[in-house]
Amino acid sequence: MVTALKEITIAHSPDSDDAFMFFGLAAQKVETYGVKVNQVLKDIQSLNIDAQNGVYEVSAISFAAYPAVADRYALMPCGASMGQKYGPMVVASRPMSLSDLPEVKLAIPGMQTTAYLALRLLEPKLNVVVIPFNQILEAVRDGKVDAGLIIHEGQLTYAESGLKKIVDLGEWWHEQTGLPLPLGGNIVRKDLGEDLIKKSTRMLQDSIRYALSHRQEALDYALKYARGLKNEQADKFVGMYVNELTVDYGESGRKALLKLFEMAYEKGVIGNKFTPEFVSF
């Protein structure tokens, strides 16, 4: 009896760190166990929405959006992006203090992003407008908004636009908890069944390990998604978000994610207590 070829789609952001992480799969450098793997690239806010509808078998997701889809998706223990004393930033064209934030018009990359969740833990009273993440620096620079919450490569390039850092949420989080700031992870649809869930998880972890052990090869691929970053900047950015915590959350990563949801519940940012559960493979 011939088993039908399985096929899954993995969805992730069109960013250099995600591209680096998924290079092993994209370049067919890792074992896929007879499973055909497709890749779809979308911004993280779109992926958060798609996950609510179970669109993709495997997807990147903001941790802030995960509790809403936990009935449908399991959390992989690999593929996380965590800021170790760094993370999303609020920037502005003029100096301002944290106490000014409730009074200004602030651009954010999405209501379901973990960057926005973390900022609400710091300051819950905000006047926000949603702008695509790759347009926020320009909106702040051009005066369309007073300040912006930036993610991805903007963390390295904001000063080139003449903008000033108001707060780095990764630094703030570490001061509060001593832990890395969990931003996003990867999820797998539960209806795939235990065997395919484990294979999919193993594929992703193998892809991350391949990229880390073939760094320049993977970085050359990731540069196509670096949105103007120089090679040195792209290498730094990838290193910030693809590292040992990406291979496996480890104790500190799991503690950090639990702490994020605990604080969000305690401060009333989310309505229910939530304990993340991970795929075992």
Side-chain angles (χ1 to χ4, degrees):
M1 179 177 176
V2 178
T3 302
L5 178 69
K6 297 185 179 73
E7 184 172 343
I8 64 170
T9 297
I10 295 176
H12 61 84
S13 299
D15 308 307
S16 51
D17 57 329
D18 272 16
F20 182 91
M21 187 188 312
F22 286 98
F23 171 68
L25 280 167
Q28 300 180 331
K29 299 291 188 179
V30 299
E31 176 63 55
T32 60
Y33 309 100
V35 179
K36 182 181 178 184
V37 178
N38 305 307
Q39 292 194 40
V40 167
L41 279 63
K42 285 188 177 183
D43 71 277
I44 192 62
Q45 180 62 11
S46 295
L47 294 179
N48 290 338
I49 295 169
D50 286 341
Q52 294 176 10
N53 299 310
V55 174
Y56 301 110
E57 288 81 13
V58 177
S59 179
I61 195 170
S62 297
F63 284 128
Y66 179 60
V69 303
D71 59 334
R72 180 174 282 179
Y73 284 94
L75 187 61
M76 290 174 158
C78 53
S81 295
M82 299 197 186
Q84 303 184 72
K85 301 184 184 180
Y86 49 78
M89 300 175 180
V90 176
V91 298
S93 57
R94 60 179 175 84
M96 64 175 66
S97 66
L98 291 177
S99 61
D100 294 324
L101 288 183
E103 311 301 324
V104 304
K105 186 177 181 182
L106 174 73
I108 64 169
M111 301 296 287
Q112 296 174 304
T113 58
T114 315
Y116 180 49
L117 170 62
L119 183 57
R120 290 174 70 197
L121 297 179
L122 171 61
E123 175 50 70
K125 297 178 181 178
L126 297 166
N127 175 28
V128 302
V129 57
V130 176
I131 294 178
F133 77 91
N134 57 345
Q135 298 176 24
I136 289 179
L137 287 178
E138 181 181 359
V140 178
R141 186 191 63 203
D142 294 348
K144 295 177 181 177
V145 293
D146 301 301
L149 176 59
I150 58 172
I151 58 176
H152 301 318
E153 293 90 348
Q155 297 166 54
L156 298 183
T157 63
Y158 70 91
E160 296 172 11
S161 298
L163 304 181
K164 299 170 177 61
K165 180 178 74 174
I166 308 306
V167 63
D168 182 321
L169 292 172
E171 291 177 354
W172 169 79
W173 174 261
H174 189 268
E175 289 169 2
Q176 299 295 310
T177 68
L179 295 165
L181 175 59
L183 297 167
N186 284 272
I187 54 176
V188 56
R189 221 168 55 206
K190 292 178 179 178
D191 64 4
L192 297 186
E194 183 178 358
D195 181 60
L196 190 49
I197 286 172
K198 288 183 176 181
K199 286 177 179 176
S200 299
T201 305
R202 195 171 297 117
M203 286 179 211
L204 174 56
Q205 190 176 67
D206 287 348
S207 184
I208 297 163
R209 283 178 167 150
Y210 183 88
L212 289 170
S213 61
H214 298 79
R215 188 174 189 84
Q216 191 57 53
E217 185 182 354
L219 188 62
D220 289 343
Y221 172 77
L223 278 168
K224 295 186 289 186
Y225 302 94
R227 283 187 288 272
L229 289 185
K230 302 178 181 69
N231 186 81
E232 297 78 12
Q233 288 177 314
D235 189 31
K236 179 179 179 181
F237 181 73
V238 164
M240 288 167 65
Y241 291 110
V242 186
N243 47 51
E244 70 280 357
L245 289 175
T246 315
V247 176
D248 186 279
Y249 285 57
E251 184 179 359
S252 66
R254 291 176 187 239
K255 279 185 178 178
L257 190 56
L258 184 60
K259 186 67 174 177
L260 180 72
F261 291 126
E262 285 179 350
M263 286 181 64
Y265 175 73
E266 290 167 0
K267 291 179 176 287
V269 177
I270 60 175
N272 299 300
K273 290 184 178 180
F274 180 76
T275 301
E277 297 181 8
F278 294 87
V279 171
S280 296
F281 74 109

